């Protein structure tokens, strides 16, 4: 006998159109949320757009929370997805000649109730040269190739080791898929042929699929299946939200000026750095991710300025990478105007794409899945839910776009037509205000619903940008001798603590044996 | 730091002026900053904020003030929330407590579970799941439990105080820390020809007070921010049309209640604030629907003790300054805007302005973007409170007077309409981190005033009806029993007032309405 409860929601049949990392992530979240009700979840495991995700990705600390919610053991996840940890993103080639390790967490400690950055800035005004990443244990540890899990004790310095994963996304998709197998999630391997939309309500009535399973095939090999709620995870083809429901996309290229990428994914025979790398290149940005088994280098560039052949040459000549392994894909950065419309929510590249930098595309998928559960409709007339969902998603996109735009607009060492063009990019009004306040004072204003913490912004700008004109004057009511002494102590504390940490590869080996 | 100290001039004493003076004198050292406060004994104080919110405990804590000393000096009583009487309809009331309802299950807020039970016909009210509510109803008070996992830790408390005594208390504090007080009335303000910033103020005595930075605590007159710098006013009276108040203290009639009463009237509402020695009363009303005489009569007819003074008259316009920081001047208190004291927001708004001023404290040369950010954040605080106050008036079944008919049908701000739609549909409360009133407060007023969602969150059905009933009964029983064992409010008060008894340490303050141990 089934242990299903009666439920008040009229949504009884949910379909996720598209498997892959987006589809299976969403399916896992819904399967976990609706464990005991008679709500049927189906994954239509159809082809999703190729090349939407790089094979490997560096995922934010939000993934840890995501796994916790699902009850997936982190150790198992790390093991099965070839994951390595990461503590920071190493930026190389921006204004400062030195490289900079931007931690996922924050820097330093508050003193006398004032944020740490003010003290660091006052010291910079006095004597100048200490890089801001010397005040983050995670950064110092990352630079030395060390890692351990953070301490649960909030007072311990080791609690500041905020981390994420460098992960094989195909294997992660398998983890979420297997997770779904433990639930009555129905998997249909078929291709999406057509979507039928009700002309009166504008809602999706049913979908037409071509079954690949010969035994279930009817005479035409086709089947019409109707659901109450549709989640479009078909990838950037956006087969349901755009193609069937007429959602419109707006391009983001004027904010994030790249549209094409190439990458190589090689067996990792080298070291296992607990960091990713981001570097400006002649016509775009390079990112390097290292999992336990793979080394992935991607070059995201502007096709108006760089031909594929020249990108390939750059890989071969400058990076010494074999050109036969290069994969090219288009990256049209854009997002849909209505993420949730009627009885359909687009999640993942079907909703929007932003190039993979400090925030990776998987983050957008997982945060959308959790937001959907939070606003899951109890009825068909769910317009207020969708409005709120769309409002929050829009805010999420805007701030990430702003943050990623910094990767282009912060000064770097490259002189080229491309970078000359980039310098003329316009900032959004919010970004303008943020940068103006930072330039005046070294602080970042708070905005509701923003993904990045104020500490991330401060780190990025203090690490890679110009120094602000001034800082909190109240800092100067404490003697500069005292402040300098505190900062010195903090730095040596970070250094000592880092030197006590195990080497990342060794730690990982032991961790996986547990 | 520069060699000559920065000169900060606060214009106006009162609650706002002295709160600002004490906080600045605490955070700014006297070598680098010189703080002067100009006030006149001839100008009375409005004495706002007799009822406070828990954030004041955090303010006192950062100043290093002994809470029990504060209670003694300000004739304070404890406050667990506000009872709203006759707001939904005549004869119905609810308490908006400083605390949470029940506890979250499966990541879904408690009120969704209550809602299901309610739809199944159970009669318990949401208030039965809040300690603050039950304790208030039983006239009891006790500090919240220190164990953060206990339901008994999920509430907080504030005070009813004599605001003029609080100002006196803080004046002593400030003067001890080196704030210089000048007695006198401002006669003139001199602006810099080059920048338009304030250079000095001249007093009627002829004395000239120069400053680098000015803080306008002059109350409704907004002497600097409006009369001098013409910051502009955003008028909200189409949403909050009450524009007058009458106030009078009365004799204490019984043991003080640990909560404020706000009773809806024909064209406004009446407050009742119990102090140790007297009761504060007042009626806020809309002059379009009620004349001053009738308002005073209505107030006097609704006292539960003999009046102790003549009725005091106040006039105001609800709204806020377009910019509360302009040039080298910040407005704090009533000079920055006015919202009726329905949810005891005045002292909070003073406190948050002081906090942000310290956060963005300027150098002698002021970057306008810093002022922009201060103004953006203050506007956000004001706007969110505005929406919350309007909700009290518009979520009502009352149609018995023209005033209430107007309230029920007027067009609400879009930001409020959106919030109400969201809740009415499926019990979802719009989430934000910054702001005075968060989810539990919105739930209190929505449900207390009859906005019952059509649906609850679908995840509630993950719990079987039997488990749901048991879970909620457990919470209810715990709260009922726990509040029953709490000491009477008057006994708690006497215990902490008694100089000779061993002073028990009070729980820490927090910038939260809902708890002391986060």
């Amino acid at each position: 006998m089934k242990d299903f409860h009666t439920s008040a929601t009229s949504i009884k049949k949910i379909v996720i159109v598209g498997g892959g990392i987006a589809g299976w992530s969403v399916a896992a979240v819904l399967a976990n949320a609706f464990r005991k009700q008679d709500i049927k979840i189906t994954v239509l495991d159809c082809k999703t757009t190729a090349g939407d995700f790089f094979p490997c990705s560096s995922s934010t600390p939000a993934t840890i929370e995501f796994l916790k919610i699902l009850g997936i053991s982190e150790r198992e996840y790390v093991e099965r997805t070839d994951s390595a940890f990461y503590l920071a993103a190493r930026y190389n080639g921006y204004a400062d000649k030195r490289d900079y390790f931007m931690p996922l967490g924050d820097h330093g400690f508050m003193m006398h109730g004032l944020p740490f950055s003010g003290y660091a800035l006052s010291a910079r005004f006095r004597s100048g040269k200490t890089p801001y990443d010397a005040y983050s244990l995670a950064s110092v540890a990352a630079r030395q190739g060390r890692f351990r899990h953070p301490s649960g004790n909030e007072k311990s310095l080791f609690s500041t080791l905020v981390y994420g994963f460098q992960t094989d996304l195909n294997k992660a998709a398998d983890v979420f898929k297997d997770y779904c197998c433990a639930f009555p999630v129905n998997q249909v391997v078929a291709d999406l042929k057509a979507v039928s939309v009700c002309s009166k309500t504008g809602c999706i009535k049913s979908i037409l699929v071509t079954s690949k399973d010969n035994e279930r095939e009817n005479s035409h090999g086709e089947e019409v299946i109707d659901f109450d709620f549709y989640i479009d995870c078909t990838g950037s083809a956006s087969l349901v939200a755009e193609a069937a429901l007429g959602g419109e996309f707006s391009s983001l290229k004027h904010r994030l000026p790249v549209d094409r990428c190439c990458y190589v994914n090689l067996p990792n025979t080298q070291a296992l750095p607990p960091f990713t790398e981001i570097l400006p290149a002649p016509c775009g940005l390079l990112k390097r991710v290292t999992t336990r088994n793979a080394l992935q280098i991607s070059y995201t560039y502007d096709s108006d300025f760089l031909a594929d052949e020249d990108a390939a040459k750059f890989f071969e000549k400058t990076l010494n990478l074999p050109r036969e392994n290069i994969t090219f894909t288009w990256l049209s950065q854009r997002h849909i105007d209505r993420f949730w419309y009627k009885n359909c929510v687009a999640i993942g590249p079907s909703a929007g794409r932003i190039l993979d930098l400090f925030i990776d595309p998987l983050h957008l998928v997982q945060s959308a899945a959790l937001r959907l559960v939070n606003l899951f409709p109890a009825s068909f007339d769910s317009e207020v839910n969708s409005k709120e969902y769309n409002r929050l998603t829009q805010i999420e996109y805007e701030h990430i776009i702003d943050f990623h735009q910094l990767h282009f607009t912060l000064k770097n060492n490259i002189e080229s037509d491309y970078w000359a063009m980039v310098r003329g990019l316009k900032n959004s009004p919010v970004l303008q205000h943020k940068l103006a306040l930072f330039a005046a004072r070294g602080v970042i204003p708070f905005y509701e619903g923003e993904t990045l913490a104020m500490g991330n912004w401060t780190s990025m700008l203090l690490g890679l940008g110009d120094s602000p004109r001034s800082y909190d004057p109240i800092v100067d009511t404490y003697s500069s001798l005292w402040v300098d002494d505190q900062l010195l102590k903090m730095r040596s504390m970070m250094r000592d603590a880092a030197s006590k940490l195990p080497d990342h590869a060794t730690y990982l080996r032991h961790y996986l044996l547990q | 730091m520069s060699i000559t100290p920065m000169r900060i001039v606060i214009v106006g004493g009162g609650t706002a002026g002295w709160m600002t003076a004490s906080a600045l004198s605490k955070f700014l050292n006297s070598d680098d900053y010189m703080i002067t406060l100009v006030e006149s004994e001839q100008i009375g104080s409005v004495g706002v904020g007799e009822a406070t919110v828990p954030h004041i405990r955090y303010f006192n804590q950062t100043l290093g003030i002994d809470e029990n000393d504060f209670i003694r000096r300000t004739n304070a009583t404890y406050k667990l929330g506000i009872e709203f009487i006759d707001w939904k309809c005549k004869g119905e009331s609810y308490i908006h407590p400083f605390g949470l309802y029940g506890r979250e299950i499966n990541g879904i807020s408690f009120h969704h579970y209550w809602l299901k039970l309610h739809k199944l016909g159970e009669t318990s009210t949401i208030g039965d799941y809040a300690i603050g509510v039950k304790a208030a109803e039983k006239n009891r008070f006790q500090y919240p439990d220190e164990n953060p996992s206990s339901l008994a830790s999920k509430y907080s408390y504030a005070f009813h105080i004599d605001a003029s005594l609080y100002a006196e208390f803080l004046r002593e504090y400030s003067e001890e820390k080196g704030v210089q007080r000048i007695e006198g009335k401002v006669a003139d303000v001199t602006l810099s020809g080059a920048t338009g910033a304030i250079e000095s103020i001249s007093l009627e005595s002829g004395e000239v007070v120069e400053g680098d930075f000015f803080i306008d605590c002059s109350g409704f007159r907004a002497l600097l921010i409006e009369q001098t710098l013409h910051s502009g006013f955003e008028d909200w009276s189409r949403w909050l049309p009450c524009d007058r108040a009458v106030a009078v203290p009365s004799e204490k009639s019984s043991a003080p209640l640990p909560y404020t009463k706000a009773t809806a009237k024909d064209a406004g509402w009446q407050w009742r604030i119990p102090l140790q020695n007297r009761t504060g009363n007042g009626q806020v009303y809309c002059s379009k629907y009620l004349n001053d005489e009738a308002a005073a009569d209505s107030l006097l007819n609704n006292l539960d003790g003999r009046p102790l003074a003549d009725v005091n008259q106040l006039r105001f316009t609800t709204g806020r300054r377009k910019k509360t920081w302009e040039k080298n001047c910040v407005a704090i208190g009533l000079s920055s805007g006015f919202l009726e004291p329905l949810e005891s927001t005045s002292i909070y708004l003073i406190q948050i302005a002081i906090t942000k001023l310290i956060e963005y404290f300027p150098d002698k040369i002021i970057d306008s973007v810093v002022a922009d950010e201060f103004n953006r954040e203050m506007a956000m605080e004001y706007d969110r409170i505005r929406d919350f106050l309007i909700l009290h008036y518009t979520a009502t079944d009352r149609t018995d007077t023209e005033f209430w008919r107007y309230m029920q049908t007027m067009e609400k701000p879009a930001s409020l309409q959106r919030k109400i739609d969201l809740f009415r549909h499926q019990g979802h409360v719009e989430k934000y981190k910054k702001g005075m009133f968060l989810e539990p407060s919105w739930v209190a007023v929505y449900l207390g005033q009859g906005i019952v969602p059509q649906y609850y969150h679908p995840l509630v059905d993950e719990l079987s009806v039997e488990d749901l009933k048991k879970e909620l009964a457990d919470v209810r029983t715990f709260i009922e029993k726990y509040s029953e064992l709490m000491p009477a409010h008057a006994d708690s008060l006497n215990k902490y007032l008694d100089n000779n008894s061993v002073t028990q340490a009070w729980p820490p303050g927090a910038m939260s309405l809902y708890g002391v141990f986060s």
Side-chain angles (χ1 to χ4, degrees):
Chain A
M1 201 185 92
K2 277 187 181 175
D3 180 27
F4 282 148
H5 299 157
T6 53
S7 62
T9 175
S10 17
I11 314 281
K12 302 286 186 200
K13 291 182 288 182
I14 306 168
V15 66
I16 293 132
V17 184
I21 183 66
W24 288 112
S25 292
V26 176
V29 168
L30 292 177
N32 174 60
F34 296 108
R35 283 164 178 261
K36 296 193 174 149
Q37 303 179 52
D38 53 349
I39 292 174
K40 206 171 144 196
I41 298 165
T42 302
V43 175
L44 178 67
D45 202 348
C46 62
K47 210 184 274 168
T48 58
T49 323
D52 278 352
F53 293 90
F54 293 132
C56 299
S57 186
S58 56
S59 45
T60 64
T63 300
I64 298 161
E65 186 57 29
F66 189 80
L67 295 176
K68 255 186 214 152
I69 289 169
L70 296 181
I72 294 177
S73 121
E74 180 183 322
R75 207 201 60 80
E76 190 201 325
Y77 180 79
V78 168
E79 182 172 21
R80 290 192 52 194
T81 58
D82 294 347
S83 286
F85 296 109
Y86 93 109
L87 291 165
R90 176 179 187 245
Y91 287 87
N92 209 346
Y94 284 89
D96 202 326
K97 291 278 164 7
R98 187 178 174 278
D99 59 352
Y100 178 73
F101 280 76
M102 176 160 151
L104 297 179
D106 212 342
H107 299 243
F109 303 101
M110 281 185 116
M111 296 188 286
H112 295 294
L114 302 178
F116 170 73
S117 56
Y119 293 101
L121 260 174
S122 77
R124 185 183 281 195
F125 271 76
R126 276 193 294 278
S127 58
K129 287 290 165 250
T130 308
Y132 195 50
D133 59 2
Y135 300 105
S136 154
L137 174 60
S139 300
V140 178
R143 192 181 280 280
Q144 298 179 8
R146 298 171 190 270
F147 180 82
R148 64 161 267 189
H149 276 89
S151 158
N153 174 6
E154 274 179 36
K155 288 188 180 132
S156 160
L157 178 58
F158 294 113
S159 72
T160 62
L161 291 167
V162 179
Y163 68 101
F165 306 111
Q166 305 184 71
T167 296
D168 181 319
L169 285 187
N170 291 318
K171 292 184 176 169
D174 288 341
V175 171
F176 296 126
K177 183 176 177 177
D178 290 351
Y179 177 87
C180 289
C181 288
F183 295 94
V185 171
N186 184 25
Q187 187 189 347
V188 177
V189 182
D191 280 330
L192 181 69
K193 275 285 164 205
V195 179
S196 158
V197 179
C198 173
S199 57
K200 262 194 215 147
T201 62
C203 289
I204 301 174
K205 278 196 300 202
S206 61
I207 50 175
L208 176 68
V209 303
T210 317
S211 175
K212 288 176 183 164
D213 182 346
N214 290 328
E215 283 170 42
R216 288 185 52 205
E217 227 175 282
N218 63 20
S219 55
H220 304 288
E222 290 181 339
E223 192 181 356
V224 174
I225 325 178
D226 66 292
F227 298 94
D228 300 323
F229 203 76
Y230 298 78
I231 299 165
D232 183 348
C233 294
T234 58
S236 53
S238 198
L239 294 178
V240 189
E242 183 188 21
L245 287 179
E248 284 179 17
F249 281 87
S250 43
S251 168
L252 301 171
K253 202 185 165 200
H254 63 292
R255 302 289 318 280
L256 304 167
V258 285
D259 61 0
R260 182 135 178 97
C261 41
C262 63
Y263 64 87
V264 291
N265 198 286
L266 305 167
N268 180 16
T269 52
Q270 301 166 16
L272 201 56
F275 54 85
T276 63
E277 285 186 84
I278 295 173
L279 305 87
C283 298
L285 296 168
L286 292 171
K287 182 171 175 179
R288 178 184 170 115
V289 176
T290 324
T291 70
R292 293 207 308 284
N293 292 322
L295 167 68
Q296 175 182 286
I297 292 157
S298 55
Y299 184 7
T300 312
Y301 55 91
D302 187 337
S303 64
D304 292 341
F305 286 81
L306 189 73
D308 288 354
E309 175 53 27
D310 294 326
K313 273 188 197 149
F314 180 77
F315 263 52
E316 203 174 32
K317 300 247 165 74
T318 314
L319 303 177
N320 280 323
L321 294 166
R323 72 183 292 161
E324 59 271 23
N325 293 325
I326 300 175
T327 308
F328 288 92
T329 62
W330 287 105
L331 168 69
S332 54
Q333 297 185 93
R334 49 179 208 163
H335 72 74
I336 200 163
D337 53 349
R338 40 194 202 204
F339 302 95
W340 176 349
Y341 179 66
K342 302 287 179 184
N343 59 343
C344 174
V345 179
I347 292 181
S350 59
R353 290 182 83 190
I354 299 177
L355 82 160
D356 179 348
L357 287 173
F358 195 70
I359 300 292
D360 71 316
L362 184 60
H363 182 96
L364 286 172
V365 168
Q366 297 182 337
S367 107
L370 298 178
R371 181 162 50 246
L372 175 59
V373 168
N374 193 250
L375 283 161
F376 203 83
S379 67
F380 289 112
D381 55 330
S382 55
E383 201 186 334
V384 286
N385 296 46
S386 62
K387 266 191 191 162
E388 179 66 359
Y389 178 94
N390 292 338
R391 187 180 73 86
L392 295 172
T393 311
Q394 181 75 33
I395 291 173
E396 181 183 44
Y397 267 83
E398 281 167 8
H399 288 289
I400 294 175
I401 293 165
D402 281 352
F403 191 73
H404 280 192
Q405 196 183 349
L406 291 182
H407 291 72
F408 292 94
T409 49
L410 286 170
K411 266 182 228 145
N412 65 43
N413 304 326
I414 303 176
E415 290 298 328
S416 71
D417 289 351
Y418 174 74
W419 287 101
M421 177 277 293
V422 164
R423 271 159 217 142
L425 284 189
K426 280 215 174 70
N427 293 328
S428 69
V430 166
L431 182 55
Q432 259 174 43
H433 176 64
K434 269 185 184 164
L435 295 177
L437 185 66
F438 185 83
R441 179 95 177 176
V443 293
I444 291 293
F446 171 84
Y447 284 89
E448 294 289 349
E450 146 146 50
T451 308
L452 279 308
M454 282 141 89
N456 295 130
W457 282 90
T458 318
S459 180
M460 185 85 175
L461 293 169
L462 281 180
L464 305 175
D466 292 333
S467 271
R469 291 191 294 277
S470 182
Y471 55 90
D472 184 353
I474 296 181
V475 163
D476 282 345
T477 62
Y478 302 100
S479 96
S480 54
L481 283 177
W482 178 82
V483 172
D484 288 341
D485 188 47
Q486 293 299 310
L487 295 187
L488 187 69
K489 277 185 189 145
M490 233 182 257
R491 290 200 302 272
S492 67
M493 220 163 79
M494 306 280 177
R495 260 199 321 272
D496 289 352
S499 71
K500 291 194 184 82
L501 294 178
D503 161 72
H504 177 218
T506 314
Y507 180 86
L508 202 43
R509 218 163 32 242
H510 285 293
Y511 176 70
L512 293 173
L513 286 174
Q514 273 168 30
Chain B
M1 201 73 212
S2 49
I3 301 147
T4 51
M6 181 164 170
R7 298 158 303 175
I8 299 158
V9 180
I10 302 168
V11 176
T15 321
W18 288 113
M19 278 180 77
T20 307
S22 34
L24 294 186
S25 63
K26 168 79 184 175
F27 283 98
L28 305 178
N29 77 37
S30 52
D31 294 338
D32 298 324
Y33 298 92
M34 203 176 84
I35 305 167
T36 308
L37 187 146
V38 179
E39 70 171 339
S40 163
E41 274 163 10
Q42 295 167 43
I43 302 172
S45 162
V46 172
V48 293
E50 295 208 311
T52 62
V53 293
H55 306 71
I56 194 177
R57 301 182 52 253
Y58 186 77
F59 184 79
N60 286 343
Q61 175 179 298
T62 50
L63 263 52
I65 289 170
D66 177 321
E67 180 165 304
N68 295 329
D69 193 28
F70 160 84
I71 292 174
R72 277 188 284 270
R73 292 284 309 271
T74 59
N75 278 329
T77 67
Y78 292 107
K79 175 183 171 188
L80 291 164
I82 305 175
E83 184 183 24
F84 290 93
I85 304 158
D86 296 344
W87 285 81
K88 176 178 181 277
C89 57
K90 280 191 178 172
E92 279 199 34
S93 67
Y94 67 96
I95 290 176
H96 169 200
F98 299 137
L100 307 182
Y101 294 107
R103 60 172 95 218
E104 197 182 276
I105 306 169
N106 262 332
I108 303 299
S109 302
F110 181 83
H111 68 271
H112 289 280
Y113 295 90
W114 174 84
L115 204 54
K116 176 165 181 181
L117 213 57
H118 175 76
K119 289 190 187 294
L120 290 170
E122 284 249 351
T123 53
S124 67
T125 66
I126 190 81
D128 293 337
Y129 302 88
I131 291 202
V133 172
K134 293 321 271 183
E137 282 174 4
K138 295 176 200 290
N139 198 3
R140 294 170 196 273
F141 178 80
Q142 182 178 310
Y143 293 150
D145 196 322
E146 285 181 40
N147 173 7
S149 63
S150 165
L151 264 181
S153 72
K154 307 295 180 203
Y155 69 100
S156 190
Y157 65 95
F159 312 97
H160 304 106
I161 61 168
D162 182 327
S164 27
L165 292 179
Y166 187 43
E168 267 175 44
F169 179 70
L170 293 178
R171 176 178 161 185
E172 271 175 39
Y173 178 97
S174 310
E175 290 186 317
E176 227 166 78
K177 286 223 172 330
V179 173
Q180 197 206 349
R181 178 186 178 277
I182 298 176
E183 167 68 35
K185 272 188 176 172
V186 176
D188 199 16
V189 182
T190 308
L191 299 182
S192 148
T195 64
I198 301 172
E199 278 181 348
S200 64
I201 52 172
S202 331
L203 308 185
E204 282 179 352
S205 62
E207 187 178 352
V208 173
V209 184
E210 291 183 336
D212 299 302
F213 196 74
F214 291 81
I215 301 170
D216 186 345
C217 298
S218 65
F220 288 131
R221 276 160 300 150
L223 203 63
L224 305 180
I225 196 77
E226 194 61 61
Q227 288 188 36
T228 311
L229 296 172
H230 313 295
S231 145
F233 191 74
E234 199 172 303
D235 188 328
W236 290 341
S237 49
R238 65 187 178 288
W239 295 311
L240 294 166
C242 286
D243 55 356
R244 293 191 190 180
V246 280
V248 71
S250 67
E251 258 178 5
K252 176 177 160 179
S253 60
S254 59
L257 298 175
Y259 58 94
T260 308
K261 281 188 184 196
T263 309
K265 295 289 177 193
D266 290 349
W269 61 280
Q270 180 160 334
W271 75 75
R272 182 188 182 280
I273 297 170
L275 300 185
Q276 287 170 33
N277 56 329
R278 60 168 168 85
T279 304
N281 309 278
Q283 204 171 115
V284 171
Y285 59 99
C286 177
S287 61
K288 190 174 162 194
Y289 303 104
L290 192 72
N291 66 43
D292 297 346
E293 206 178 320
D297 282 350
S298 167
L299 173 67
L300 292 169
N301 288 334
N302 285 293
L303 298 180
D304 52 12
R306 204 169 52 85
L308 295 171
D310 290 337
V311 170
N312 186 21
Q313 268 273 352
L314 290 171
R315 290 176 177 214
F316 49 79
T317 310
T318 47
R320 64 163 167 82
R321 289 288 151 229
K322 285 185 176 144
K323 293 176 178 176
T324 53
W325 182 333
E326 174 77 11
K327 309 278 184 193
N328 62 341
C329 173
V330 161
I332 295 181
L334 297 177
S335 55
S336 71
F338 182 84
L339 286 165
E340 53 194 274
L342 186 54
E343 284 280 3
S344 320
T345 49
S346 308
I347 288 188
Y348 168 83
L349 282 166
I350 294 171
Q351 188 180 342
I352 204 81
I354 293 171
T355 308
K356 290 189 196 300
L357 174 60
I358 289 173
E359 192 181 337
Y360 291 110
F361 208 81
D363 246 322
K364 279 185 185 170
I365 298 158
I366 295 164
D367 241 304
S368 66
V369 66
V370 172
D372 289 347
E373 177 56 16
F374 179 92
N375 289 331
R376 187 184 73 92
E377 292 190 27
M378 284 311 294
M380 188 165 75
E381 292 280 348
Y382 259 99
D383 295 357
R384 286 179 176 165
I385 293 175
R386 174 202 68 192
D387 280 1
F388 188 60
L389 295 189
I390 299 172
L391 177 68
H392 293 69
Y393 282 107
T394 56
T396 179
D397 298 338
R398 286 190 68 155
T399 51
D400 53 313
T401 64
E402 213 180 314
F403 173 79
W404 287 105
R405 284 191 290 275
Y406 170 78
M407 283 302 188
Q408 221 190 27
T409 52
M410 79 176 184
E411 194 182 330
K412 302 177 217 14
S415 53
L416 174 60
Q417 190 61 55
R418 185 179 77 206
K419 293 184 185 93
I420 293 175
D421 290 346
L422 204 49
F423 188 81
R424 195 190 293 280
H425 185 68
Q426 199 176 304
H428 193 87
V429 178
E430 187 179 307
K431 300 264 190 312
Y432 51 78
K433 282 189 194 145
K434 295 246 169 143
M436 182 172 175
F437 300 106
L438 307 182
E439 186 179 80
S441 296
W442 287 91
V443 168
V445 179
Y446 283 135
L447 293 178
Q449 298 198 192
I451 298 187
V452 180
Q454 199 180 349
Y455 303 101
Y456 51 81
H457 195 288
L459 284 192
V460 168
D461 289 329
E462 289 291 301
L463 219 57
S464 70
V465 173
E466 298 73 56
D467 288 349
L468 173 71
K469 284 188 172 166
K470 187 181 173 306
E471 183 81 39
L472 266 67
D474 286 351
V475 173
R476 212 165 52 225
T477 311
F478 173 85
I479 285 174
E480 175 60 32
K481 282 189 180 154
Y482 189 89
S483 55
E484 196 57 44
L485 293 173
M486 286 164 83
H489 177 214
D491 292 344
S492 286
L493 204 50
N494 288 332
K495 182 174 153 197
Y496 301 125
L497 278 171
D498 184 355
N499 265 319
N500 300 319
S501 74
V502 185
T503 310
Q504 193 189 326
W506 54 92
M511 280 304 277
S512 161
L513 206 64
Y514 311 107
V516 292
F517 307 98
S518 50

